[in-house]
């Protein structure tokens, strides 16, 4: 690699200022990610992140948060949508300004990441057509009807929008009610 060339992770994208999405980064993409000065990475997987990646994140003082571990059996099958609990917890972290700059990622940056970002877009009052177009753009030819249906039916009232959510998300604090 020539000096000065930065390579983003697979399926990298800017969601909002300070909020990014991607597939699993490799050593080649670490210099690119270092430029983002990330504070938090949401790793949406039932599997442990690769040791090399976890070590790199620790060296960079990035909080690596794994969502989907343990009891979430839905994460074990790539054909099932991510669980509602993982999406709600992921959105709680996305809505926390102390997590920024933040990267949301899964293995390929398509389905689990796309579902979480799609549900965020619903909170932002995007039209369903726009939400699904963004999901499909990142899923390429591999979009999944179950994930699209999950996004469409996701109840945004399960997510409490904090009074001080990141301003770049353009959310109103009165939206959403505490679950339960």
């Amino acid at each position: 690699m020539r000096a000065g060339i930065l390579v983003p992770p697979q399926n990298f994208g800017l969601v909002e200022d300070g909020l990014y999405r991607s597939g699993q980064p490799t050593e080649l993409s670490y210099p690119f990610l270092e430029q983002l000065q990330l504070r938090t990475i949401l790793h949406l997987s039932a599997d442990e992140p690769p040791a090399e990646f976890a070590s790199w994140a620790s060296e960079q003082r990035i909080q690596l948060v794994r969502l989907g571990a343990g009891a979430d059996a839905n994460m074990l099958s790539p054909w099932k949508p991510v669980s509602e609990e993982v999406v709600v917890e992921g959105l709680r972290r996305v809505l926390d300004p102390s997590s920024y700059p933040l990267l949301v990622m899964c293995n390929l940056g398509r389905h689990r990441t796309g579902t979480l970002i799609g549900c965020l877009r619903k909170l932002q009052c995007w039209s369903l057509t726009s939400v699904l177009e963004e999901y499909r753009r990142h899923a390429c030819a591999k979009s999944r009807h179950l994930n699209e249906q999950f996004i469409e039916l996701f109840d945004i009232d399960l997510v409490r929008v904090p009074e001080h959510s990141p301003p770049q998300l353009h959310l109103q604090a009165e939206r959403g009610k505490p679950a339960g």
Side-chain angles (χ1 to χ4, degrees):
M1 183 171 86
R2 284 193 337 229
I5 303 246
L6 298 175
V7 179
Q10 177 181 1
N11 221 351
F12 178 82
L14 172 68
V15 178
E16 297 290 347
D17 186 33
L19 177 59
Y20 311 95
R21 62 176 293 158
S22 78
Q24 175 66 54
T26 64
E27 190 174 347
L28 188 61
S29 61
Y30 295 167
F32 176 87
L33 293 177
E34 289 168 11
Q35 297 297 308
L36 302 177
Q37 299 178 355
L38 296 170
R39 184 174 290 163
T40 309
I41 296 174
L42 294 184
H43 184 263
L44 305 175
S45 178
D47 300 325
E48 289 284 340
E52 171 192 309
F53 176 63
S55 176
W56 171 81
S58 177
E59 290 168 10
Q60 297 299 311
R61 296 192 171 131
I62 299 170
Q63 181 185 18
L64 182 57
V65 178
R66 186 170 143 230
L67 298 179
D72 189 359
N74 280 339
M75 296 292 275
L76 299 177
S77 170
W79 296 105
K80 292 183 181 176
V82 65
S83 75
E84 186 175 83
E85 293 78 20
V86 168
V87 170
V88 169
E89 176 60 18
L91 289 173
R92 186 185 70 74
R93 292 183 182 266
V94 167
L95 296 175
D96 178 2
S98 71
S99 297
Y100 282 66
L102 182 141
L103 172 68
V104 177
M105 57 149 295
C106 61
N107 186 38
L108 298 174
R110 292 180 180 167
H111 307 295
R112 287 167 266 171
T113 298
T115 300
L116 179 69
I117 298 302
C119 293
L120 170 66
R121 297 307 194 191
K122 282 189 69 174
L123 272 175
Q124 293 176 301
C125 299
W126 279 31
S127 71
L128 183 61
T129 301
S130 296
V131 171
L132 295 180
E133 190 281 326
E134 182 181 47
Y135 170 80
R136 291 173 186 147
R137 189 170 0 110
H138 285 275
C140 302
K142 307 240 182 210
S143 66
R144 294 183 181 153
H145 179 71
L146 281 176
N147 290 339
E148 292 180 16
Q149 187 177 45
F150 180 96
I151 294 167
E152 179 181 3
L153 299 175
F154 180 72
D155 181 4
I156 61 173
D157 286 338
L158 294 172
V159 180
R160 187 187 159 283
V161 177
E163 187 175 328
H164 300 290
S165 62
Q168 65 270 36
L169 298 182
H170 306 289
L171 299 170
Q172 298 174 357
E174 57 272 7
R175 281 199 63 94
K177 301 172 215 140

